[in-house]
């Protein structure tokens, strides 16, 4: 796992660690907060609606793709203390800021498959009359496995977008301080990577950049 994340940051300049003060560093809590009860009935699969789903998702994807900008890469802006959700897939842990989450739902029913999508596009699910595109996260991250090998249990919505990352385990939330993250200061080859959580040796996801890649149908390397 360490080698996997080290390779992501290799040869890419990172932000120097902030100077230490005379005051003892306040350690973030290592206890995970209890997650709220997750709803059970979320995924709908009806062959009679597949044509409608295909049309609507295609239209949404085109709108999102057209709205993508070519702005200069900028890392995420967080408070000195911020919360993240840790999740796991294929024995690798990732973190995502809670401010960038749109919800967490069970993924336990068949998805509606769409033709012409990338291999990492698992399908479409419907919840509260909204359609969500589910990513085979391990395949997108090139971790060596896919939904055929893993038992995805939930999907994590990325903000207010129609994208959801599938995951095997929800590990809970934790408070982090800025100096607990090895931040990146340039785009590099993986714009979706905001930095590395030092004590966890896991990647902190830059959600906005990840969304841009997904909208453009690109994989981990952009």
């Amino acid at each position: 796992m360490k080698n996997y994340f080290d390779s992501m940051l290799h040869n890419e300049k990172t932000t120097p660690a902030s100077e230490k003060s005379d005051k003892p560093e306040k350690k973030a809590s290592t206890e995970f907060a209890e997650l709220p009860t997750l709803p059970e009935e979320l995924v709908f699969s009806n062959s009679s609606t597949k044509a409608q789903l295909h049309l609507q998702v295609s239209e949404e994807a085109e709108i999102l793709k057209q709205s993508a900008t070519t702005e200069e890469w900028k890392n995420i802006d967080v408070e000195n203390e911020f919360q993240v959700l840790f999740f796991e897939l294929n024995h690798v842990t990732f973190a995502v800021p809670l401010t960038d989450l749109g919800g967490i739902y069970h993924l336990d029913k068949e998805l509606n498959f769409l033709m012409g999508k990338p291999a990492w596009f698992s399908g479409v699910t419907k919840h509260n009359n909204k359609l969500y595109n589910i990513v085979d996260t391990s395949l997108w991250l090139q971790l060596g496995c896919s939904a055929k090998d893993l038992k995805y249990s939930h999907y994590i919505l990325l903000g207010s977008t129609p994208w959801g990352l599938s995951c095997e385990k929800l590990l809970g939330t934790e408070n982090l301080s800025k100096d607990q993250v090895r931040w990146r200061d340039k785009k590099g080859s993986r714009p979706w990577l905001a930095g590395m959580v030092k004590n966890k040796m896991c990647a902190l996801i830059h959600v906005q950049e990840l969304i841009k890649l997904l909208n453009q149908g690109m994989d981990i390397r952009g």
Side-chain angles (χ1 to χ4, degrees), residues 7-39:
S7 66
M8 291 182 182
L9 296 170
H10 185 63
N11 289 333
E12 294 182 354
K13 183 180 179 182
T14 56
T15 303
S18 58
E19 295 182 359
K20 295 183 178 179
S21 64
D22 295 331
K23 296 181 181 181
E25 180 180 353
K26 182 180 178 181
K27 295 184 178 179
S29 172
T30 57
E31 295 183 357
F32 289 128
E34 183 178 355
L35 291 172
T37 302
L38 300 174

Side-chain angles (χ1 to χ4, degrees), residues 102-115:
I104 305 172
Y105 302 107
H106 279 289
L107 183 60
D108 54 8
K109 290 187 178 181
E110 182 181 357
L111 301 176
N112 288 288
F113 175 75
L114 297 180
M115 297 291 292

Side-chain angles (χ1 to χ4, degrees), residues 19-204:
E19 295 182 359
K20 295 183 178 179
S21 64
D22 295 331
K23 296 181 181 181
E25 180 180 353
K26 182 180 178 181
K27 295 184 178 179
S29 172
T30 57
E31 295 183 357
F32 289 128
E34 183 178 355
L35 291 172
T37 302
L38 300 174
E40 297 293 340
E41 298 295 329
L42 292 171
V43 182
F44 300 85
S45 182
N46 188 328
S47 58
S48 64
T49 65
K50 286 187 176 181
Q52 178 186 357
L53 292 175
H54 190 287
L55 177 61
Q56 186 171 340
V57 173
S58 297
E59 291 176 347
E60 290 179 353
E62 184 61 27
I63 293 174
L64 290 169
K65 185 175 181 179
Q66 292 176 359
S67 64
T69 64
T70 56
E71 296 177 357
E72 182 179 355
W73 188 89
K74 182 180 179 181
N75 212 332
I76 60 177
D77 185 17
V78 295
E79 301 291 336
N80 289 329
E81 296 278 341
F82 64 103
Q83 280 191 312
V84 298
L85 169 72
F86 289 101
F87 66 93
E88 180 182 301
L89 53 118
N90 198 21
H91 307 292
V92 180
T93 303
F94 295 87
V96 58
L98 289 190
T99 52
D100 290 324
L101 290 184
I104 305 172
Y105 302 107
H106 279 289
L107 183 60
D108 54 8
K109 290 187 178 181
E110 182 181 357
L111 301 176
N112 288 288
F113 175 75
L114 297 180
M115 297 291 292
K117 296 296 182 180
W120 47 261
F121 188 96
S122 290
V124 178
T125 186
K126 187 176 182 181
H127 176 57
N128 288 340
N129 295 320
K130 293 184 179 180
L131 299 176
Y132 296 108
N133 307 322
I134 307 303
V135 177
D136 185 335
T137 315
S138 179
L139 192 60
W140 190 89
L141 289 165
Q142 299 179 6
L143 296 180
C145 290
S146 68
K148 296 179 181 179
D149 311 299
L150 304 176
K151 293 183 179 179
Y152 288 132
S153 61
H154 300 83
Y155 64 94
I156 302 169
L157 293 182
L158 302 179
S160 58
T161 73
W163 290 105
L165 299 182
S166 51
C167 68
E168 286 188 287
K169 298 178 182 178
L170 297 173
L171 302 181
T173 61
E174 185 175 333
N175 290 323
L176 292 180
S177 59
K178 277 188 173 182
D179 60 5
Q180 287 180 285
V181 178
R182 181 184 174 191
W183 298 98
R184 301 176 71 204
D185 61 359
K186 62 180 181 179
K187 182 177 181 178
S189 60
R190 295 178 176 85
W192 61 272
L193 180 62
M196 183 186 297
V197 181
K198 299 173 186 176
N199 63 336
K200 300 287 186 180
M201 290 304 296
C202 73
L204 177 64

